[in-house]
Amino acid sequence: MGAGHKKVIIVAGGAGFLGSALCARLLNAGHSIVCVDNLLTGDFANVAHLATNPQFRFIRHDIIAPLRLAGPVDEIYNMACPASPPRYQTDPIHTFRTCVEGSLNLLNLAEEKQARILQSSTSEVYGDPEISLQVESYRGNVNTVGPRACYDEGKRASETLFWEYGAHRGLETRIARIFNTYGPRMHPEDGRVVSNFIVQALRGEALTVYGDGSQTRSFCFVDDLVEGLVRLMASDEKMPVNLGNPGEFTMLELADKVLAKIGSDLPVCFRPLPKDDPRQRCPDISRAKRILGWEPRVSLDRGLDLTIPWFAERLSAERRKGALVS
């Protein structure tokens, strides 16, 4: 299959934050995109600008039910599952079913179409890690009966399904373990720390920090992450690959950066650390560098400069809409 080959690509969860960015990237590369989303947490507005392209098709569908599609399919990206704790905890059973039954349905479709398929797994498979950096061979420290288990264990189970279909049924499977990612089109009420801090600062509210703020995360800009996904899909690597930015920041460091960018001296409000919230999160991306020739290019400072104006415009539009309604 040549580099210029036009592919038919399904992006499940394609109206979400990451999925919509992936749809745009693949569409711009000349491929035909089938965006599948149940719009429970995705937003059609994320892909509305793509809908006028004749190579883009949107299907509203929940992958818990089998997906029927006529014609050939070359690749499937499974991006379908809420990724922020407040959203995946709203209906934890549905979250778990999306991970397991949804993956199974897409794997069966990939087998039917003889398509290559990529699973968007997560750094949450490592749980509250006992090692730093997190390397792909680390088996994790996950609570199977806590508030995050529906997502953490669901993603672990989906990795098993992908591995089994690849190892025993000959399917071309790929597994990306995605670390914290941010950028334009994140939902303002997403509940993850970058969007929380930006939205609170823009609204003039105190920034909410859980615990003492010393816990760490690594933050990858969306464009870098999408590049990693595309490279992984094109590779021959069947084992999980970490995709994330190894730059590690405490929550207080991130809060200070956001406040400095917005030009505010708002206070920080400390709240108790949620149950099973990981104390540390930072990827070892040695395999991604070696196998994919990939590493992040966008610094946190640059990424925030690209993200904050999008949130400012989104909140301004919501205020204008509210003023018109009232």
Side-chain angles (χ1 to χ4, degrees):
M1 187 180 290
H5 176 76
K6 177 183 172 182
K7 300 173 186 174
V8 177
I9 303 175
I10 296 173
V11 180
F17 159 54
L18 275 179
S20 61
L22 179 61
C23 283
R25 164 65 188 273
L26 296 171
L27 198 63
N28 288 339
H31 302 301
S32 180
I33 307 303
V34 181
C35 172
V36 178
D37 205 296
N38 61 10
L39 300 182
L40 285 181
T41 58
D43 188 340
F44 184 75
N46 288 336
V47 292
H49 63 298
L50 307 177
T52 56
N53 189 315
Q55 298 303 314
F56 180 83
R57 177 184 175 194
F58 177 80
I59 299 175
R60 185 166 184 173
H61 177 82
D62 191 324
I63 60 167
I64 284 177
L67 177 63
R68 310 294 182 198
L69 204 64
V73 174
D74 297 294
E75 295 176 353
I76 301 172
Y77 287 84
N78 182 18
M79 312 297 294
C81 187
S84 74
R87 306 187 101 186
Y88 67 63
Q89 290 168 5
T90 300
D91 189 345
I93 293 173
H94 188 272
T95 297
F96 192 79
R97 292 182 66 193
T98 300
C99 291
V100 178
E101 295 174 44
S103 290
L104 194 58
N105 286 329
L106 292 179
L107 285 162
N108 286 334
L109 179 63
E111 191 171 48
E112 174 196 335
K113 303 291 188 181
Q114 287 300 290
R116 182 173 291 194
I117 182 168
L118 181 146
Q119 167 66 4
S120 63
S121 189
T122 172
S123 61
E124 296 302 318
V125 299
Y126 300 123
D128 189 3
E130 300 159 307
I131 66 165
S132 182
L133 309 167
Q134 286 86 64
V135 66
E136 289 89 346
S137 58
Y138 177 55
R139 295 182 180 179
N141 176 36
V142 181
N143 180 6
T144 64
V145 293
R148 302 172 76 101
C150 62
Y151 183 72
D152 299 3
E153 288 296 305
K155 289 289 191 176
R156 286 164 70 98
S158 65
E159 284 196 12
T160 301
L161 283 169
F162 270 68
W163 161 251
E164 296 292 356
Y165 268 72
H168 301 297
R169 296 175 74 155
L171 202 59
E172 285 290 324
T173 57
R174 305 290 181 264
I175 300 171
R177 287 182 180 161
I178 298 172
F179 283 68
N180 291 60
T181 305
Y182 70 99
R185 296 199 180 89
M186 288 185 86
H187 195 282
E189 308 303 328
D190 179 85
R192 281 175 284 189
V193 66
V194 173
S195 53
N196 277 358
F197 283 176
I198 292 173
V199 169
Q200 287 176 329
L202 289 171
R203 288 175 174 166
E205 302 169 355
L207 273 58
T208 303
V209 172
Y210 295 97
D212 62 5
S214 64
Q215 67 272 34
T216 68
R217 295 291 185 272
S218 59
F219 304 105
C220 188
F221 189 66
V222 59
D223 292 355
D224 282 335
L225 197 283
V226 167
E227 176 67 23
L229 291 174
V230 171
R231 291 194 186 198
L232 178 57
M233 179 67 95
S235 78
D236 295 323
E237 183 55 44
K238 294 178 180 290
M239 297 299 287
V241 176
N242 287 339
L243 294 178
N245 193 321
E248 190 174 8
F249 297 89
T250 69
M251 299 300 93
L252 288 177
E253 287 173 331
L254 176 64
D256 287 343
K257 280 185 177 292
V258 170
L259 290 173
K261 298 267 180 204
I262 292 174
S264 171
D265 58 356
L266 290 164
V268 169
C269 175
F270 292 92
R271 298 280 175 81
L273 197 65
K275 181 176 172 57
D276 295 333
D277 194 64
R279 294 160 295 175
Q280 191 266 351
R281 182 74 81 230
C282 190
D284 183 317
I285 60 169
S286 301
R287 295 188 73 240
K289 286 182 179 179
R290 185 177 72 254
I291 295 166
L292 310 179
W294 175 89
E295 61 182 314
R297 304 282 182 194
V298 180
S299 68
L300 180 57
D301 280 302
R302 175 61 179 152
L304 289 174
D305 287 340
L306 295 168
T307 303
I308 290 170
W310 184 87
F311 274 103
E313 174 53 33
R314 171 73 183 258
L315 295 179
S316 177
E318 288 181 0
R319 284 193 296 270
R320 291 194 300 269
K321 184 178 178 182
L324 289 173
V325 170
S326 60

